[in-house]
Each structure stands twice: as structure tokens, then as C-alpha cells.
């Protein structure tokens, strides 16, 4: 697989299918693992980093579940390529910012990605459309078992899998669910919900993980605690929380339809109108307007539109995707013009 | 009194900063204070936060002992860890065990792993289940010894659950 092949492929997280897909965009499980014999990436010498990369890459090539994968060394990618992978949620922003002995391994379906020498030697994730953490966990678990057969992992019977940062020790597991919560935002209930989430030791982040702002009504919720509970129990506690948030969002959507129908229809239709007619548009505005259109589709306010078109627009209007499509670097003002052009083209009826 | 930063608006926020044991008083207007606090937040990274947590754990008398601790394998010192918030290698967990245990408890509310363990060679399922049980019982013992009673109760339930499962005959999976 070549990096550019991904351009014609729908990201797993934007397929828009799976359980509760009107509210839950995607579910993701990631594990952090380290090789016992080597210092953690930030403390390793260049040579040790190279060795770690060599060991992991040779093992990955032999794992059955990872047959259809491609390895990309970050040193071989330019900044647009790297941002492209971040936009597709295949690697973290942090991973993209450094290049020494770092790699990312991606499967053809874009469900599995493995970061080599990120904060830990191995960080791998499985992504599923919709509300489906257990399905993601079952795949992650099998890959983990296969890797553990070949690699001597840093593990203590008392504290579990050892990681560079003590916040990941134990299971090394982070489960996260990406939610689209426009009605909770519009009814101004979101702050209350986010405060409750924080109190329960869960973390909320934006579309692009660590340190990013929530935008376009998208929220990523994940567990903070990784030690002292079994993986399945951690997932069950995330699921319990997510089920409650889904219910709250559904109630808020119903309340909006009941009490503010005209205002809601107005906002959805205006958003759709701007997207269909704008000639200059930023990526932030695009995400916000697409969020409204998506809500309109979910509630049947917009009917003559295929949901997959909207899902695709979320990703191809991102800065690196635009530049990949144009096959050249574009300045920010150039991108805003190009972005508007592509959106108009896709929404032409 | 006017704001120390912009010198234009009246100072309504009074801040005491201590840098390198030098105390400094700042009188700021609301706007500049807001900027200042955003600045401070961005400087206050995870490393400091974890370091701060570690700091909190130990009485001052042990300070010099902790700071001079050094991982024999990778050379990272406890002082390094406090600064960067990350350990150097798996052996650091052994070298700083005394301090890491309470830190983990603070972060996760527990310092006993209950999740999966790396299986070696993925042997047949029946003996693996017995090993799981033995391991759980060991954990239960450790939890009781370290007076982590909430953990212990949870592990006890798991032991019971697993014992029940093991008591049932395995369904015949064929030859």
C-alpha cells in the first residue's frame, strides 16, 4: 500500500456505521507496550532506538493479524504526509513532531495502527466505527498476545505493563469513544456533562487527541485509570458512561425538535446553505457547519443527501488532505479557497 | 495602583511569585492577570504535575535520599524523573519502587495490577486457567498485606468467579 492509496479510502472512524452511529463516531482501544531490555524511547540512544525499531518491525511482519500492513518510517515522510496520517487518526500529533527512529504501521483497512517509538516502544490501536469498544478490544487483545509471543515485554506482576509515564502503567490501555454532541452543546448542557465526566476520572479531548480543543461539537472521552482494574472492567465502565451521555444527547435532540423546531431547522439549513455557496472557508468553520448538517441528517431535517458525502467532507477538507488532493503545497488562504470549491462540488445536487 | 505589566489599567489582582527563592509581588489588571495565568498553565506541564505528586508523597527528611536515587541500568535519577515526568526504563520501577508505589496509588487509586499478563508460548487453555487462579490468589494476598481492602474485595470476587468456572466441566472441543 502507498500512502496516497489512503486518499481513495474511507477512514474507519468516518464510515458512519456501527451501533449508535448517529451519536458515536468511533470507538478505539490502544495499548502501550515496551521491550524489557531497552530504555524507553525518550531515554534511549539513537542506536538503541534503531534496534528497537528493527526488533519490532521484524516481529510485526510475522504476526498473522498484521499481514496486510504497511510500514512508514517517519524519516521518509514530509510534513504534509505526517499531518495527513494525523488527520486520519492513524498516529498522534506528538509522534508526528519528531522523526528519529519512529515509524507507523497501518493495515489496509485503516483499523489497526501501530506507532513505534512514540512515548512507549509500541503503541497500537484498533478503531471501529460506532459504539463498539469490546469488538476493538477483542482484536487488540489478539494482536497483543501474538506480539507477546515474540517479544519480551516490560511487565511486573505487581504493577502490570510498565510504561514511560506512570499514568499508563498496569493494563497500558486507553479506551476512547468519539462522540458528536451538538444538541448538548446547543442546549448549553455540555459543561455540566463534561464536569461530571471529569469527576468520574475520565478525560475529554477534542478531535485530535491530547491537547486539542473540542471543535464542531466532537468530543473524545477516555479512561484515565489504567491500573487496578481488568481491561474488561475498564471498558465496561467507559461503556456505562457513554450510554448515559448518548441518552442525554438523545433527550436534548428530542427537546430541541419539540421546543425549538423552527430555530433548529433554520440553523441546519443555513449551515447547509453556506457550505453549498461559500467561496472561502476555514477548516474550523467547515467542521462546525458539517456538524450541523450531520445533525440535520440524523433528525431528518435534510433528506436528499447521502450521509457518506458529509462524512467524506469531514476528512478531505482537512489541510493535509487538501494538499494531497492537489498534489502540491498550499498556503492557508489558498486552502480556504480550494476547500470551498471542493465542498461546493460535492454538495451539488 | 496601576498594573505592573501594561501600566494603563488599575491593578485589581495581586500575585506573589516565588522564583529561585526570590519572592516577587505583582499587581495586575484583570486582562494581564488572565494572560499571565494562561502562560503559567502552559508552563505547568505534565512533568511538573507528576513531579509535584511525587513530591507530595514523601516527607522532607527523605528528600535527599530520593533525589540521589539512580537507576543502575539506565542511569536516570529520581530527580530526572521529577523533572521530566517519565521513567527511563523498566528497571527504574524497581530502583524507585518505594516512591513509585504510593505515586501509582495516587494516580490510579490502586497499585495492584488486575489486568492481563503476557502469556508465553500461548499454551493450552486449561493449565492457563489454573495459573490465572494462582496468580489471582497471590494478588489477593498482596492486597491484604498492603491493606488495600477495596482492591482485595474486588480480587476476592474474581477468585470466586474463576473458581466457579473451573469447577464446571470443560465443554468437549473435539479431538
Amino acid at each position: 500500500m502507498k500512502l496516497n492509496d489512503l486518499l481513495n479510502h474511507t477512514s474507519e472512524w468516518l464510515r458512519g456505521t456501527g451501533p449508535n452511529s448517529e451519536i458515536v463516531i468511533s470507538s478505539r482501544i490502544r495499548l502501550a507496550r515496551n521491550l524489557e531490555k531497552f530504555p524507553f524511547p525518550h531515554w534511549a540512544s539513537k542506536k538503541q532506538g534503531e534496534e528497537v525499531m528493527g526488533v519490532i518491525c521484524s516481529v510485526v511482519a510475522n504476526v498473522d493479524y498484521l499481514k496486510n500492513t504497511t510500514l512508514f518510517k517517519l524519516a521518509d515522510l514530509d510534513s504534509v504526509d505526517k499531518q495527513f496520517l494525523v488527520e486520519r487518526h492513524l498516529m498522534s500529533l506528538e509522534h508526528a513532531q519528531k522523526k528519529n527512529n519512529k515509524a507507523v504501521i497501518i493495515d489496509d483497512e485503516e483499523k489497526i495502527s501501530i506507532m513505534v517509538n512514540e512515548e512507549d516502544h509500541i503503541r497500537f490501536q484498533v478503531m471501529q466505527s460506532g459504539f463498539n469498544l469490546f469488538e476493538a478490544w477483542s482484536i487488540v487483545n489478539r494482536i497483543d498476545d501474538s506480539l507477546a509471543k515474540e517479544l519480551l515485554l516490560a511487565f511486573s506482576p505487581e504493577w502490570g505493563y510498565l510504561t514511560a509515564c506512570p499514568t499508563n502503567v498496569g493494563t497500558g490501555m486507553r479506551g476512547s469513544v468519539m462522540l458528536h454532541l451538538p444538541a448538548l452543546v446547543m442546549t448549553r448542557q455540555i459543561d455540566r456533562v463534561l464536569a461530571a465526566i471529569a469527576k468520574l476520572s475520565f478525560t475529554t479531548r477534542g478531535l485530535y487527541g491530547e491537547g486539542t480543543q473540542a471543535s464542531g461539537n466532537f468530543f473524545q472521552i477516555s479512561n484515565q485509570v489504567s491500573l487496578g482494574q481488568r481491561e474488561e472492567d475498564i471498558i465496561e465502565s467507559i461503556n456505562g458512561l457513554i450510554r448515559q451521555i448518548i441518552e442525554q444527547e438523545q433527550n436534548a435532540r428530542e427537546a430541541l425538535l419539540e421546543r425549538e423546531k423552527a430555530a433548529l431547522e433554520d440553523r441546519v439549513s443555513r449551515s447547509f446553505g453556506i457550505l453549498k455557496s461559500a467561496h472561502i472557508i476555514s477548516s474550523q468553520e467547515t467542521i462546525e457547519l458539517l456538524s450541523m448538517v450531520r445533525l440535520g441528517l440524523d433528525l431528518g431535517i435534510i433528506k436528499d443527501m447521502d450521509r457518506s458525502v458529509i462524512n467524506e467532507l469531514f476528512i478531505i477538507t482537512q489541510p493535509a488532505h487538501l494538499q494531497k488532493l492537489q498534489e502540491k503545497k498550499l498556503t492557508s488562504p489558498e486552502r480556504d479557497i480550494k476547500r470551498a470549491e471542493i465542498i461546493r462540488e460535492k454538495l451539488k445536487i | 495602583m496601576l498594573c505592573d505589566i501594561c501600566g494603563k489599567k488599575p491593578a485589581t489582582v495581586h500575585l506573589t511569585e516565588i522564583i529561585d527563592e526570590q519572592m516577587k509581588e505583582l499587581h495586575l489588571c484583570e486582562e494581564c492577570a488572565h494572560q499571565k495565568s494562561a502562560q503559567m498553565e502552559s508552563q505547568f506541564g505534565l512533568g511538573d504535575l507528576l513531579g509535584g505528586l511525587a513530591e507530595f508523597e514523601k516527607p522532607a527528611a527523605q528528600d535527599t535520599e530520593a533525589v540521589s536515587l539512580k537507576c543502575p541500568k539506565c542511569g536516570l535519577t529520581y530527580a530526572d524523573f521529577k523533572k521530566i515526568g517519565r521513567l527511563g526504563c523498566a528497571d527504574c520501577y524497581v530502583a524507585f519502587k518505594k516512591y513509585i508505589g504510593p505515586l501509582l496509588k495516587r494516580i490510579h487509586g490502586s497499585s495492584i495490577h488486575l489486568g492481563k499478563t503476557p502469556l508465553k508460548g500461548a499454551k493450552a487453555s486449561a493449565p492457563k486457567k489454573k495459573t490465572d487462579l494462582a496468580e489471582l490468589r497471590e494478588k489477593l494476598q498482596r492486597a491484604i498485606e498492603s491493606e488495600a481492602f477495596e482492591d482485595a474485595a474486588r480480587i476476592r470476587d474474581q477468585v470466586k468467579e474463576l473458581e466457579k468456572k473451573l469447577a464446571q466441566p470443560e465443554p468437549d472441543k473435539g479431538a
Side-chain angles (χ1 to χ4, degrees):
Chain A
M1 177 180 67
K2 295 214 176 65
L3 199 64
N4 286 356
D5 294 346
L6 297 177
L7 267 177
N8 303 316
H9 187 256
T10 309
S11 270
E12 171 70 18
W13 67 284
L14 279 175
R15 269 212 340 250
T17 55
N20 299 96
S21 59
E22 78 289 357
I23 292 171
V24 183
I25 308 292
S26 63
S27 306
R28 187 177 66 106
I29 298 274
R30 81 109 169 97
L31 292 185
R33 297 288 185 255
N34 287 283
L35 307 187
E36 194 185 67
K37 285 198 177 137
F38 295 90
F40 300 135
H42 77 100
W43 200 248
S45 68
K46 207 173 161 218
K47 193 168 156 274
Q48 287 167 325
E50 266 165 38
E51 267 180 77
V52 168
M53 177 115 114
V55 170
I56 293 170
C57 294
S58 70
V59 163
V60 163
N62 293 325
V63 170
D64 262 356
Y65 301 105
L66 303 174
K67 278 241 161 73
N68 300 316
T69 55
T70 313
L71 170 105
F72 299 99
K73 290 191 175 174
L74 294 209
D76 301 337
L77 302 179
D78 66 19
S79 60
V80 174
D81 286 339
K82 284 189 268 190
Q83 201 187 338
F84 175 77
L85 289 171
V86 174
E87 286 172 3
R88 294 185 86 80
H89 288 203
L90 295 170
M91 71 178 186
S92 65
L93 210 53
E94 186 187 327
H95 201 48
Q97 281 157 356
K98 294 165 198 152
K99 64 178 179 193
N100 267 347
N101 298 311
K102 290 180 190 293
V104 59
I105 299 162
I106 299 159
D107 81 313
D108 293 351
E109 284 185 83
E110 288 188 68
K111 276 191 184 183
I112 304 168
S113 85
I114 305 172
M115 291 187 280
V116 181
N117 281 332
E118 205 236 28
E119 185 180 296
D120 296 298
H121 293 141
I122 310 174
R123 284 211 170 178
F124 63 107
Q125 65 169 34
V126 168
M127 212 153 30
Q128 292 278 317
S129 272
F131 187 21
N132 222 343
L133 280 176
F134 272 113
E135 175 78 26
W137 163 243
S138 82
I139 303 172
V140 162
N141 196 15
R142 270 177 279 161
I143 296 173
D144 183 44
D145 287 345
S146 306
L147 291 175
K149 262 192 250 175
E150 312 283 334
L151 297 167
L152 196 54
L153 298 172
F155 180 84
S156 121
E158 189 176 358
W159 293 336
Y161 293 92
L162 303 175
T163 51
C165 184
T167 51
N168 294 305
V169 158
T171 57
M173 188 184 85
R174 197 75 70 212
S176 46
V177 177
M178 175 92 71
L179 299 164
H180 184 223
L181 306 173
L184 284 175
V185 173
M186 277 191 273
T187 54
R188 293 171 210 277
Q189 296 180 76
I190 194 70
D191 289 341
R192 182 178 56 79
V193 172
L194 295 183
I197 292 168
K199 256 191 211 148
L200 294 167
S201 299
F202 291 88
T203 315
T204 314
R205 300 192 176 97
L207 261 181
Y208 289 98
E210 200 105 19
T212 62
Q213 292 273 319
S215 67
N217 308 318
F218 290 100
F219 299 87
Q220 211 180 135
I221 293 166
S222 53
N223 61 300
Q224 230 165 29
V225 168
S226 58
L227 177 67
Q229 292 178 43
R230 292 186 307 176
E231 289 83 356
E232 290 84 357
D233 296 334
I234 295 175
I235 294 171
E236 199 35 70
S237 70
I238 305 172
N239 279 350
L241 174 71
I242 299 296
R243 277 192 286 267
Q244 286 186 45
I245 301 173
I246 291 174
E247 201 186 312
Q248 303 239 357
E249 170 68 17
Q250 277 165 342
N251 291 343
R253 288 183 184 191
E254 274 166 36
L256 278 176
L257 268 181
E258 220 170 87
R259 284 178 235 150
E260 316 260 355
K261 189 149 191 253
L264 183 64
E265 285 173 339
D266 180 68
R267 195 153 161 200
V268 166
S269 308
R270 278 169 186 269
S271 301
F272 202 20
I274 293 173
L275 286 171
K276 280 195 280 195
S277 50
H279 280 247
I280 296 176
I281 193 163
S282 70
S283 84
Q284 182 65 27
E285 187 180 5
T286 304
I287 289 185
E288 278 162 19
L289 297 175
L290 283 172
S291 160
M292 286 289 79
V293 171
R294 202 191 139 101
L295 177 67
L297 279 169
D298 291 338
L299 298 178
I301 296 171
I302 297 173
K303 292 191 182 79
D304 46 1
M305 185 85 240
D306 191 347
R307 183 201 277 250
S308 66
V309 175
I310 299 302
N311 286 342
E312 190 193 6
L313 279 176
F314 270 110
I315 188 98
I316 64 170
T317 55
Q318 298 282 323
H321 276 74
L322 279 178
Q323 296 177 74
K324 280 258 163 212
L325 284 171
Q326 295 304 305
E327 294 173 357
K328 63 173 182 191
K329 289 216 172 201
L330 299 171
T331 62
S332 178
E334 285 170 343
R335 289 201 296 268
D336 291 352
I337 294 172
K338 200 73 220 169
R339 181 178 296 114
E341 197 182 304
I342 289 176
I343 297 170
R344 286 201 313 276
E345 185 59 36
K346 291 272 176 193
L347 296 183
K348 217 187 262 170
I349 299 166
Chain B
M1 192 190 300
L2 288 177
C3 170
D4 288 344
I5 293 182
C6 66
K8 287 175 195 153
K9 290 180 198 149
T12 52
V13 178
H14 308 280
L15 190 76
T16 309
E17 243 182 3
I18 301 171
I19 298 171
D20 292 335
E21 294 177 6
Q22 290 282 318
M23 200 166 78
K24 201 172 129 197
E25 281 199 354
L26 277 173
H27 308 280
L28 308 172
C29 70
E30 204 140 333
E31 207 172 293
C32 292
H34 201 75
Q35 273 177 11
K36 182 94 186 157
S37 83
Q39 208 180 17
M40 279 163 73
E41 236 165 73
S42 70
Q43 287 165 357
F44 191 72
L46 185 64
D48 299 313
L49 193 63
L50 285 174
L53 277 169
E55 181 96 314
F56 205 75
E57 273 307 319
K58 56 183 167 39
Q62 291 176 0
D63 195 69
T64 42
E65 187 216 54
V67 168
S68 62
L69 276 179
K70 189 172 179 176
C71 171
K73 192 171 164 211
C74 74
L76 182 116
T77 63
Y78 194 76
D80 290 328
F81 167 58
K82 273 178 61 185
K83 205 161 87 193
I84 54 185
R86 287 185 190 153
L87 293 148
C89 70
D91 285 44
C92 291
Y93 281 92
V94 182
F96 311 141
K97 194 173 190 343
K98 202 166 128 194
Y99 301 95
I100 299 279
L103 175 63
L104 290 177
K105 183 125 204 200
R106 239 183 133 66
I107 298 173
H108 299 281
S110 160
S111 56
I112 292 162
H113 177 61
L114 293 179
K116 70 182 285 191
T117 55
L119 37 132
K120 288 188 191 94
K123 295 275 184 301
S125 65
K128 194 194 146 254
K129 274 189 188 167
K130 288 232 172 70
T131 331
D132 277 355
L133 187 60
E135 207 169 281
L136 268 181
R137 284 189 180 132
E138 263 174 46
K139 272 182 189 158
L140 179 58
Q141 198 54 40
R142 273 206 304 270
I144 294 168
E145 277 163 16
S146 60
E147 298 185 7
F149 297 117
E150 272 179 43
D151 286 330
R154 213 162 34 207
I155 303 168
R156 186 202 55 213
D157 292 344
Q158 285 174 21
V159 168
K160 275 190 194 155
E161 201 181 303
L162 195 57
E163 280 172 343
K164 215 171 12 179
K165 253 191 225 162
L166 285 176
Q168 287 163 0
E170 279 266 305
D172 191 8
K173 285 183 189 138

